[in-house]
Amino acid sequence: NAGVTQTPKFQVLKTGQSMTLQCAQDMNHNSMYWYRQDPGMGLRLIYYSASEGTTDKGEVPNGYNVSRLNKREFSLRLESAAPSQTSVYFCASSPRGDRDGYTFGSGTRLTVV
Amino acid sequence: AQSVAQPEDQVNVAEGNPLTVKCTYSVSGNPYLFWYVQYPNRGLQFLLKYITGDNLVKGSYGFEAEFNKSQTSFHLKKPSALVSDSALYFCAVRDSSGGSYIPTFGRGTSLIVHP
């Protein structure tokens, strides 16, 4: 099983450019999440989707948008990238909520110059 | 409100010695508690959880954690450390009586096991 697949693995953007981070899971999970990881900050939730057709803001949603395309896919879009968005981005999924723990993707390392 | 603290940025231990990675939490109701491990350049992997029941929880790779309600702690332990256990460890907590089912992650503790 592939689990949670994120693309791309690495990306360099110029300030003001846009891009979409893709995430897909093959475990038939209902819930999906986008986190960013910064040194000394741990993991911070950007957006989540409790189930297909719903999305909600997390702790740090500004500058991002999301789309739950279907049950498998949950994309994260940066409309106008800023250097403050340089980070490692992780997608995660869970069957329903967090009681069974999350399955994480391997991450996208994004640098905005 | 829910919060979690990992008081040590780094823990050093010799291979073969027991290890402990500390986690304390604060919730209004009963906690759901989790440990995750992150190896270099990888995503987080779920290790174990406490939802209810036995205070000693066993998880993957020989790790266990003890829920202590009076001390509001959920420390991760392993009887004999391996060099391959070297990684970043995250504790997470969720208030089971809260409106949100999203856990809060700690800032992580780097475990270094020396040969």
Side-chain angles (χ1 to χ4, degrees), chain B residues 59-110:
Chain B
S60 306
Y61 311 122
F63 284 94
E64 59 188 28
E66 186 169 11
F67 171 61
N68 188 317
K69 189 170 184 177
S70 63
Q71 297 187 6
T72 62
S73 67
F74 189 56
H75 300 332
L76 182 70
K77 300 181 180 183
K78 188 175 182 181
S80 179
L82 299 172
V83 172
S84 57
D85 293 329
S86 298
L88 192 57
Y89 290 81
F90 290 93
C91 182
V93 67
R94 176 165 73 85
D95 190 337
S96 64
S97 62
S100 169
Y101 67 94
I102 302 296
T104 298
F105 283 82
R107 295 189 174 189
T109 298
S110 177

Side-chain angles (χ1 to χ4, degrees), chain A residues 35-110:
Chain A
Y35 284 88
R36 60 178 289 173
Q37 183 179 28
D38 302 291
M41 301 292 289
L43 286 171
R44 292 184 291 170
L45 182 65
I46 304 171
Y47 271 94
Y48 67 101
S49 171
S51 60
E52 185 179 358
T54 69
T55 60
D56 287 285
K57 295 179 180 180
E59 182 184 354
V60 288
N62 291 346
Y64 305 94
N65 285 300
V66 290
S67 295
R68 184 75 183 265
L69 304 170
N70 48 55
K71 191 171 186 178
R72 291 186 63 249
E73 299 173 286
F74 187 39
S75 63
L76 178 71
R77 183 161 178 83
L78 287 70
E79 292 290 352
S80 179
S84 61
Q85 294 178 304
T86 293
S87 186
V88 181
Y89 291 85
F90 288 101
C91 178
S93 70
S94 64
R96 188 182 301 277
D98 61 348
R99 287 177 61 102
D100 295 314
Y102 291 175
T103 300
F104 283 82
S106 58
T108 295
R109 186 173 295 274
L110 175 67

